[in-house]
């Protein structure tokens, strides 16, 4: 099992910046990809950014050029640097991890979610 813990959310003014962190831990696993999602009140959960082994990062059009996803493999941590924040970025941000979770010499592919961290951008 993989546990994910997000941190770094908070209240900022429009135009400000935040950096979210997500640490994966527990068991024996190999991460295939990590991603950030967000969900605003009354809206569906939205994919914000992904970083997958062997590929370039991918971003939603709404955050492209403002957000940067990065990954520290040694620390099993993914970051989301958010610059030029807008009120419409206000949401609960969730970390997601797709990983091979090993049991002996075999594994199962699992998707795990963090508890979410609140980002509020005031105007």
């Amino acid at each position: 099992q993989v546990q994910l813990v997000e941190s770094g959310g908070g209240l900022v003014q429009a135009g400000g910046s935040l950096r979210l962190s997500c640490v994966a831990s527990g068991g024996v696993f190999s991460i295939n990809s990590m991603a950030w999602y967000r969900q605003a009140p009354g809206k569906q959960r939205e994919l914000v950014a992904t970083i997958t082994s062997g590929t370039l990062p991918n971003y939603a059009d709404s955050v492209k050029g403002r957000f940067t996803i990065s990954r520290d493999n040694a620390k099993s941590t993914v970051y989301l640097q958010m610059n030029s924040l807008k009120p419409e970025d206000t949401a609960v941000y969730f970390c997601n991890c797709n990983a091979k979770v090993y049991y002996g010499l075999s594994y199962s592919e699992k998707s795990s979610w963090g508890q979410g961290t609140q980002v509020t951008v005031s105007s």
Side-chain angles (χ1 to χ4, degrees):
Q1 187 178 29
V2 179
Q3 290 81 43
L4 304 176
V5 179
E6 303 102 329
S7 62
L11 173 64
V12 298
Q13 293 184 337
S17 298
L18 285 173
R19 188 179 75 160
L20 306 183
S21 299
C22 173
V23 180
S25 64
V28 179
F29 60 90
S30 176
I31 296 174
N32 299 322
S33 64
M34 300 188 80
W36 287 97
Y37 290 74
R38 66 186 182 187
Q39 188 167 19
K43 294 186 177 181
Q44 298 294 320
R45 189 167 296 186
E46 172 191 22
L47 178 62
V48 176
T50 62
I51 183 164
T52 301
S53 180
T55 68
L56 295 174
N58 208 347
Y59 300 94
D61 289 340
S62 60
V63 306
K64 192 171 295 182
R66 299 188 297 120
F67 291 9
T68 302
I69 188 171
S70 60
R71 176 179 170 183
D72 186 331
N73 293 328
K75 297 181 179 180
S76 296
T77 301
V78 65
Y79 304 93
L80 186 67
Q81 179 66 48
M82 305 185 295
N83 298 325
S84 302
L85 283 163
K86 304 174 180 179
E88 52 262 43
D89 295 319
T90 295
V92 178
Y93 283 70
F94 297 91
C95 178
N96 175 264
C97 173
N98 179 270
K100 296 180 177 66
V101 181
Y102 288 86
Y103 308 95
L105 297 179
S106 63
Y107 69 88
S108 296
E109 193 164 308
K110 301 292 184 182
S111 180
S112 302
W113 292 90
Q115 82 289 346
T117 184
Q118 177 71 47
V119 172
T120 303
V121 184
S122 64
S123 60

